[in-house]
Amino acid sequence: MTAKNAFYAQSGGVTAVINASACGVIETARQHQDKIANVYAGRNGIIGALTEDLIDTGQESAENIAALRYTPSGGFGSCRYKLKSLEANRREYERLIEVFKAHDIGYFFYNGGGDSADTCYKVSQLSEKMGFPVQAIHVPKTVDNDLPITDNCPGFGSVAKYIATSTLEASFDVRSMCATSTKLFVLEVMGRHAGWIAAAGALVADQGIPVVTLFPEIEFDQDKFMAAVKAKVEAHGYCSVVVSEGCHWPDGRFLAEQGTKDAFGHAQLGGAAPVVANMVKEALGYKFHWAVADYLQRAARHLASKSDVEQAYALGKAGVEYALQGHNAIMPTVVRKSSDPYVWEIGEAPLSEVANVEKFMPRDFISEDGYGITDRCREYLYPLISGEDYPPYENGLPKYVTLENKAVPKKLDPFEV
């Protein structure tokens, strides 16, 4: 059988370890050049496939590809672009086939979250609906940790480690100043509908920190929240609050809603921390500081979780291996066998059961009062933030790689996205 080329791309918000998955895909493909001739990466996600803007990863040295394992963000550029259905936009699918044929692409690896799983699932149907043979494998990635079936998602463990650490360190700061100054610190974290990242901030309670956590799964009750904050400040002299960007009022309105939409049509969020901090100031008079973790939380490769890095690489590697075994329309998953000691293995899930499905925090992961986490949640979280995997340093800074990203020569006419 003649070797085919593979297409790989990154999609959605990037993470501290998505490049580790890319490393897993590319290094594994290079070990099977009798079946995968080369890996072409899409510049800026699926847009790179549509516009025939392909990167020849074969031009990168083995050292540069290996360095992806400890380099944050998306080495090939990412995007927020969701393919419509075949019926709604047949033109895009015909273009994909045109590009895949021109560059002899028989494998499609898409590295992303829920919306990306939907794109990958649609591409996987090109064989059945349009007669073009391509094997599409979704490589999971999302800091939100909200993909179904898999125990957890690459990217989450490192964000959780960063948020837990940052909440702990900032709380020590507040504790040292609370007698005469700041009594409240509010940290806003990502998580539109699922409170996994916020839950990581709640881990600091295990070190004696008074913390109130606001989850998207729990409707915001202003009076109850104020009472919780007041009780902790009166007992400890200070309090930290970890608020998910998706925290919302009983009518569904986000505390942080700005009235704008992102590229996927989701409400654009940002600003829950100052809303909460000012709310406390007006009601209780406490001096405060607040911060929005934003890009810092998902780019913090210097503090990545070792288990997260290992799983990100393993899932990229497994994606290639599944494709070589003839699989299509699946996503490799993490299957937890034990939490103590932490043991996991690779499984698989059909994309038909993954695309556009969100996994929320179980109610029994959240304390009865709605402001903390349970022991069951702790048992789930601690293995995911365990271990350190520091990047190399040079002159005091992490030494990350910037790829050459040489373009594959184009063969087709331009295409407007």
Side-chain angles (χ1 to χ4, degrees), residues 300-355:
R301 182 57 184 82
H302 69 286
L303 196 62
S305 152
K306 184 177 181 180
S307 59
D308 194 26
V309 175
E310 290 175 348
Q311 289 174 351
Y313 184 92
L315 288 166
K317 178 176 184 287
V320 174
E321 292 172 342
Y322 277 132
L324 293 176
Q325 292 166 17
H327 291 272
N328 186 31
I330 66 162
M331 178 183 81
T333 63
V334 175
V335 179
R336 184 182 301 222
K337 307 299 289 186
S338 168
S339 294
D340 186 16
Y342 184 40
V343 179
W344 57 276
E345 64 185 24
I346 298 292
E348 63 178 278
L351 281 182
S352 59
E353 298 178 16
V354 175

Side-chain angles (χ1 to χ4, degrees), residues 14-283:
V14 294
T15 78
V17 301
I18 187 173
N19 281 337
S21 290
C23 181
V25 168
I26 297 168
E27 287 189 339
T28 306
R30 287 184 174 185
Q31 294 167 12
H32 298 276
Q33 291 186 321
D34 57 324
K35 295 180 179 178
I36 301 178
N38 205 348
V39 177
Y40 294 152
R43 198 184 307 272
N44 302 322
I46 193 68
I47 292 175
L50 292 169
T51 60
E52 200 192 1
D53 194 355
L54 307 177
I55 294 165
D56 187 354
T57 70
Q59 298 296 312
E60 299 288 346
S61 68
E63 291 74 20
N64 276 1
I65 295 301
L68 284 174
R69 184 172 176 130
Y70 55 76
T71 297
S73 189
F76 305 104
S78 186
C79 71
R80 294 195 184 277
Y81 189 85
K82 190 172 181 177
L83 289 179
K84 296 178 181 178
S85 68
L86 176 60
E87 293 73 24
N89 197 346
R90 189 179 184 88
R91 166 180 171 268
E92 288 187 336
Y93 294 89
E94 290 174 343
R95 174 63 174 186
L96 287 177
I97 290 176
E98 186 181 27
V99 172
F100 291 169
K101 281 184 177 178
H103 295 279
D104 199 23
I105 291 170
Y107 305 95
F108 181 92
F109 302 104
Y110 210 41
N111 200 175
D115 289 310
S116 307
D118 176 71
T119 294
C120 191
Y121 184 50
K122 288 169 178 170
V123 171
S124 75
Q125 297 174 315
L126 288 179
S127 298
E128 178 184 344
K129 294 186 175 181
M130 300 185 72
F132 181 79
V134 64
Q135 290 168 248
I137 307 292
H138 183 246
V139 180
K141 169 255 21 162
T142 175
V143 298
D144 292 331
N145 200 40
D146 59 358
L147 288 173
I149 305 176
T150 186
D151 175 77
N152 59 282
C153 305
F156 170 68
S158 295
V159 165
K161 189 179 187 77
Y162 178 85
I163 292 301
T165 302
S166 297
T167 304
L168 181 64
E169 292 175 342
S171 296
F172 269 56
D173 190 311
V174 177
R175 184 174 66 184
S176 69
M177 299 297 295
C178 67
T180 58
S181 183
T182 306
K183 294 185 181 298
L184 180 77
F185 174 70
V186 182
L187 178 63
E188 179 178 336
V189 303
M190 290 177 173
R192 180 180 303 274
H193 299 129
W196 298 103
I197 300 176
L203 288 171
V204 301
D206 294 351
Q207 297 202 32
I209 301 298
V211 60
V212 174
T213 311
L214 298 175
F215 300 98
E217 291 86 353
I218 304 295
E219 293 180 348
F220 182 70
D221 183 322
Q222 185 170 348
D223 292 338
K224 184 181 174 185
F225 168 67
M226 291 303 164
V229 171
K230 183 179 180 182
K232 290 190 182 298
V233 171
E234 290 180 348
H236 301 275
Y238 72 103
C239 178
S240 290
V241 175
V242 179
V243 54
S244 170
E245 64 179 355
C247 182
H248 60 85
W249 299 96
D251 65 3
R253 287 180 299 116
F254 293 111
L255 270 66
E257 193 157 342
Q258 300 176 341
T260 55
K261 303 287 185 181
D262 67 14
F264 286 138
H266 306 311
Q268 191 81 40
L269 304 183
V275 168
V276 168
N278 281 293
M279 196 182 291
V280 173
K281 173 71 173 178
E282 291 175 8

Side-chain angles (χ1 to χ4, degrees), residues 396-413:
L397 290 174
K399 186 180 179 182
Y400 298 140
V401 68
T402 297
L403 300 178
E404 295 183 31
N405 285 346
K406 293 180 180 178
V408 176
K410 293 188 178 186
K411 301 179 180 181
L412 304 171
D413 293 333

